[in-house]
């Protein structure tokens, strides 16, 4: 157990690291490792996220594609997570990807690339928050429909419940910031408990399971496309289920020992997500009933239909679904915190209109209140799209994942460039990958490029304006806006980290961080023990 003096000394060292990057410590460092692991996993929550998009995989390749691709997606995601963990260890900044791009990119284009990365990153985080609110609303209203079959779910009902979830998260973030660490520590216990209960109940109660051949071998294709194309579409479901593991990076300035603990939270959340997601996929596909009935359930949530098909009980189904609703609300709270810290950091670097306002930190609560309110407002605006069009909101869901993946890809690209140009061959932080670093960077980048391209593919054939995938158009608009705003205002005002100070740091990494070194092999064995 660390003494108060040791904790104080550690915080001073972390504050010094932040100051060396050109920033002042303004947020309260309240998160420990367990709290941040709970925070990160509550956002990743791979198994419940997979439940939200389960039917996509069933129709595009079926259970075999879902299950076996999950193993591959998890391995590639670990390559990305380890790469980000190493960089986060050296540069523990709330800006995350966009700050690291500014540090690692060639000086002539660093600010511009950082600006564009920031746009994609922030859009991804905010869109993911809106998506989570939408999923939570669907689970709540789906239970109402199951309990009262005469009740018909309307779009505006879903939007209003999504608003409510956003408001609850906003209130907690503003008036209960001291509770965030406690909530996050409780969240990981609740998450694992819910997972275990749901798996046991489904397997014990379902007496008409699918065959092993259906789960592990039968290829399903309801897309209208060829076999190979359908299999690629099936990968998208797995990609959505393994995302957002950069969350600890954006909360670094809320952590007590971010240089060593944030990297662990990033990597361990992927390990836990990989294992729970794999077990959940096998269980759900064994217990799924008629595919058409599941996809077209009046509840609007295929997983609720699977619960009901397995238990035969409305009450039992609602209990299981309510456990996921609690996870969704906790996730909403975490995503709003992550989004607000990202906006705060970007505003601190003069990356937003009215940056001075959104970079303000309430001196009493030590949280960026205006950035929290802006996060809530954007989430509500994105949820409001569902009032008018389902296709439009489907695009919001797509750009949530694509925004994250593109920001990850830009980071790894400039990291690889820094390595081969000789500008920074070693990331001088206390959490190091050693000789594995550049190979994991390359592996992660190839994966991110592949998935970022396939996210734009249409999912049904024949393609028409109703089922067209508009992700590419939305991403193009975001890219255009980021470029135009960079040319008009960003290049004049945007600052970013103090790169001049950073360039002097690589020669003395231990003096900069003043903490013990961690190695890939150390964390790999830790991660294996978690499994």
């Amino acid at each position: 157990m660390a003494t108060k003096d040791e904790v104080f000394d550690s915080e001073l060292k972390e504050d010094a690291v932040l100051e060396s990057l050109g920033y002042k410590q303004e947020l309260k460092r309240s998160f420990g490792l367990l709290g941040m692991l709970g925070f990160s996993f509550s956002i990743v929550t791979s198994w419940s996220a997979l439940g939200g998009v389960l039917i996509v995989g069933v129709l595009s390749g079926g259970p075999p594609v879902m299950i076996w691709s999950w193993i591959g997606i998890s391995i590639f995601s670990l390559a990305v997570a380890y790469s980000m963990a190493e960089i986060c260890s050296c540069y523990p900044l709330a800006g995350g990807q966009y700050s690291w791009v500014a540090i690692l990119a060639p000086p002539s284009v660093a600010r511009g690339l950082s600006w564009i990365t920031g746009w994609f990153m922030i859009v991804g985080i905010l869109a993911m928050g809106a998506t989570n609110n939408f999923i939570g609303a669907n689970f709540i209203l789906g239970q109402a429909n199951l309990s009262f079959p005469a009740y018909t779910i309307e779009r505006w009902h879903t939007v209003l419940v999504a608003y409510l979830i956003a408001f609850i998260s906003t209130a907690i973030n503003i008036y209960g910031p001291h509770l965030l660490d406690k909530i996050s520590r409780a969240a990981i216990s609740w998450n694992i408990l819910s997972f275990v209960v749901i798996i046991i109940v489904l397997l014990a109660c379902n007496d008409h399971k699918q065959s092993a051949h259906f789960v592990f071998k039968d290829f399903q294709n309801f897309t209208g496309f060829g076999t190979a194309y359908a299999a690629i579409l099936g990968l998208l479901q797995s990609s959505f289920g393994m995302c957002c593991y950069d969350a600890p990076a954006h909360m670094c300035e809320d952590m007590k020992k971010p240089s060593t603990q944030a990297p662990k939270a990033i990597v361990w959340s992927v390990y836990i997500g990989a294992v729970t997601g794999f077990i959940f996929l096998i269980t759900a596909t064994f217990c799924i009933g008629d595919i058409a009935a599941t996809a077209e359930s009046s509840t609007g949530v295929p997983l609720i239909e699977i619960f009901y098909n397995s238990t035969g009980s409305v009450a039992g189904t609602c209990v299981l679904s309510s456990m996921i609703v609690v996870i969704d609300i906790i996730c909403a709270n975490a995503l709003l915190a992550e989004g607000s810290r990202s906006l705060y950091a970007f505003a601190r670097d003069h990356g937003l209109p009215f940056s001075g306002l959104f970079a303000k930190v309430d001196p009493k609560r030590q949280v960026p209140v205006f950035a929290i309110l802006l996060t809530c407002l954007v989430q509500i605006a994105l949820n409001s799209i569902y009032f008018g069009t389902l296709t439009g909101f489907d695009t919001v869901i797509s750009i949530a994942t694509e925004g994250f993946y593109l920001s990850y890809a830009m980071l790894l690209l400039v990291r690889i460039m820094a390595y081969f140009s000789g500008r920074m061959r070693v990331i001088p932080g206390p959490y190091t990958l050693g000789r594995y670093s550049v190979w994991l960077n390359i592996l992660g980048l190839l994966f991110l490029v592949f998935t970022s391209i396939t996210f734009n593919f249409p999912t049904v054939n024949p393609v028409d304006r109703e089922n067209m995938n508009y992700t590419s158009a939305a991403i193009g608009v975001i890219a255009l806006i980021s470029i135009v705003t960079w040319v008009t205002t960003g290049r004049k005002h945007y600052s970013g980290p103090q790169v001049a100070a950073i360039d002097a740091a690589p020669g003395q990494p231990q003096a900069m961080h003043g903490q013990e070194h961690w190695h890939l092999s150390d964390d790999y064995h830790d991660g294996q023990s978690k499994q």
Side-chain angles (χ1 to χ4, degrees), residues 151-316:
Y151 166 63
T152 301
I153 301 172
E154 303 287 349
R155 285 186 188 176
W156 65 272
H157 299 167
T158 306
V159 175
L160 291 183
V161 175
Y163 286 177
L164 177 61
I165 294 173
F167 290 147
I168 292 172
S169 303
T170 302
I172 293 173
N173 270 268
I174 293 177
Y175 298 107
H178 58 288
L179 300 175
L180 291 180
D181 181 58
K182 294 182 177 66
I183 292 172
S184 297
R185 278 187 277 141
I188 193 166
S189 299
W190 177 264
N191 208 317
I192 298 300
L193 172 66
S194 301
F195 168 76
V196 172
V197 169
I198 288 173
I199 295 300
I200 291 175
V201 170
L202 288 180
L203 293 176
C205 293
N206 191 304
D207 57 2
H208 48 282
K209 296 180 180 67
Q210 297 284 357
S211 67
H213 196 276
F214 171 83
V215 173
F216 296 109
K217 290 186 177 180
D218 279 355
F219 187 89
Q220 309 283 338
N221 184 5
F222 298 89
T223 65
F225 291 106
T227 300
Y229 188 96
I232 291 174
L233 292 178
L235 297 176
L236 302 183
Q237 177 246 15
S238 297
S239 299
F240 180 84
M242 186 62 81
C243 187
C244 315
Y245 38 82
D246 60 318
H250 304 293
M251 301 298 291
C252 275
E253 294 171 40
D254 292 75
M255 293 186 68
K256 294 175 182 176
K257 297 181 180 179
S259 298
T260 54
Q261 294 186 351
K264 291 179 182 179
I266 290 172
V267 173
W268 289 0
S269 64
V270 176
Y271 273 115
I272 300 172
V275 174
T276 54
F278 184 69
I279 295 172
F280 173 80
L281 281 175
I282 293 176
T283 302
T285 50
F286 264 116
C287 296
I288 195 171
D290 180 75
I291 293 177
T294 303
E296 298 167 8
S297 169
S298 62
T299 65
V301 183
L303 191 55
I304 291 180
E305 184 65 27
I306 293 173
F307 289 165
Y308 185 65
N309 174 66
S310 298
T311 64
S313 165
V314 171

Side-chain angles (χ1 to χ4, degrees), residues 37 40-41 44-50 66-79 81-82 191-192 195 238 241-243 245 265-282 527-528 530-531:
L37 181 59
S40 181
F41 186 59
V44 175
T45 314
S46 300
W47 67 274
S48 59
L50 288 170
M66 296 160 56
I67 291 169
W68 302 124
S69 69
W70 179 252
I71 296 175
I73 293 290
S74 297
I75 292 172
F76 285 115
S77 295
L78 277 170
Y82 270 118
N191 208 317
I192 298 300
F195 168 76
S238 297
M242 186 62 81
C243 187
Y245 38 82
I266 290 172
V267 173
W268 289 0
S269 64
V270 176
Y271 273 115
I272 300 172
V275 174
T276 54
F278 184 69
I279 295 172
F280 173 80
L281 281 175
I282 293 176
Q528 288 292 90
K530 287 280 178 186
Q531 297 185 57

Side-chain angles (χ1 to χ4, degrees), residues 8-27 29 92 252-253 255-256 258-259 512 515:
F8 181 70
D9 184 57
S10 173
E11 289 188 9
L12 284 179
K13 291 175 180 176
E14 295 292 353
D15 291 352
V17 172
L18 192 62
E19 187 175 348
S20 73
L21 298 171
Y23 303 109
K24 177 184 177 183
Q25 177 63 38
E26 297 180 283
L27 307 178
R29 295 192 183 275
C252 275
E253 294 171 40
M255 293 186 68
K256 294 175 182 176
S259 298
M512 180 178 176
Q515 298 189 28

Side-chain angles (χ1 to χ4, degrees), residues 414-425 438-439 442:
V414 299
R415 166 66 187 118
I416 294 168
M417 292 170 63
Y419 178 87
F420 285 107
S421 68
R423 182 168 182 267
M424 190 178 292
R425 295 185 68 86
V438 69
W439 301 111
I442 293 171

Side-chain angles (χ1 to χ4, degrees), residues 129-141 158-173 324-333 336 376 379-380 383:
T131 299
N132 180 77
N133 296 344
F134 177 77
I135 292 173
N138 280 338
F139 266 95
I140 293 171
L141 296 176
T158 306
V159 175
L160 291 183
V161 175
Y163 286 177
L164 177 61
I165 294 173
F167 290 147
I168 292 172
S169 303
T170 302
I172 293 173
N173 270 268
I324 292 183
V325 169
V326 173
I327 292 173
D328 279 326
I329 293 175
I330 294 172
C331 179
N333 183 59
L336 195 135
C376 177
Q379 287 183 0
I380 287 173
N383 283 130

Side-chain angles (χ1 to χ4, degrees), residues 271 523-531:
Y271 273 115
D523 191 77
Y524 176 79
H525 293 303
D526 286 340
Q528 288 292 90
S529 67
K530 287 280 178 186
Q531 297 185 57

